[in-house]
Amino acid sequence: MNVHTIDDTPEPHTPDSLFPNNWVSFHTDGSVVLYPMLAPNRRAERRNDVLEALSASHGFRIARVIDLTAHESRGKFLEGTGSLVLDRVHRVAYACISPRTDLDVLGD
């Protein structure tokens, strides 16, 4: 297994950024999903340079980006695989509805 690390930036201060699974997920078809985050300070963790580095330096194929972050402005959230359990084999997502997991976003 390969592990790729990308250093955090000093600014903005993102103390929880070691959990990128909340803001992004990668899928075998080349899709990347960007998730809407409940806490405003967690939203700053999303970094396009991370996606660019993974693609350019580590061979990740990004065929399309599904950006669900517009839901934040409507007070609806879905915090990635911190909020979901993905059964990739059977193409099923499991979730408990909560302030961090909105059914409307899950249906997108």
Side-chain angles (χ1 to χ4, degrees), residues 22-36:
N22 295 132
W23 68 266
V24 65
S25 64
F26 299 89
H27 303 268
T28 57
D29 69 352
S31 296
V32 173
V33 181
L34 302 178
Y35 294 98

Side-chain angles (χ1 to χ4, degrees), residues 19-37 46 50-51 54 60-68 78-86 88 93:
F19 302 107
N21 64 301
N22 295 132
W23 68 266
V24 65
S25 64
F26 299 89
H27 303 268
T28 57
D29 69 352
S31 296
V32 173
V33 181
L34 302 178
Y35 294 98
M37 304 289 289
R46 285 190 297 260
V50 170
L51 302 180
L54 289 172
F60 279 73
R61 181 178 66 88
I62 298 177
R64 68 181 178 142
V65 175
I66 301 167
D67 187 348
L68 301 175
L78 179 63
E79 295 194 356
T81 58
S83 181
L84 300 167
V85 175
L86 300 176
R88 294 173 189 263

Side-chain angles (χ1 to χ4, degrees), residues 39-105:
N41 69 309
R42 299 289 314 271
R43 297 172 193 169
E45 296 172 21
R46 285 190 297 260
R47 294 176 39 202
N48 284 331
D49 67 303
V50 170
L51 302 180
E52 292 165 6
L54 289 172
S55 179
S57 301
H58 301 293
F60 279 73
R61 181 178 66 88
I62 298 177
R64 68 181 178 142
V65 175
I66 301 167
D67 187 348
L68 301 175
T69 62
H71 289 282
E72 291 169 347
S73 66
R74 295 186 288 282
K76 295 179 181 282
F77 311 101
L78 179 63
E79 295 194 356
T81 58
S83 181
L84 300 167
V85 175
L86 300 176
D87 178 344
R88 294 173 189 263
V89 172
H90 296 101
R91 300 182 49 86
V92 176
Y94 299 92
C96 290
I97 304 306
S98 74
R100 296 177 186 273
T101 309
D102 189 282
L103 189 57
D104 290 340
V105 183

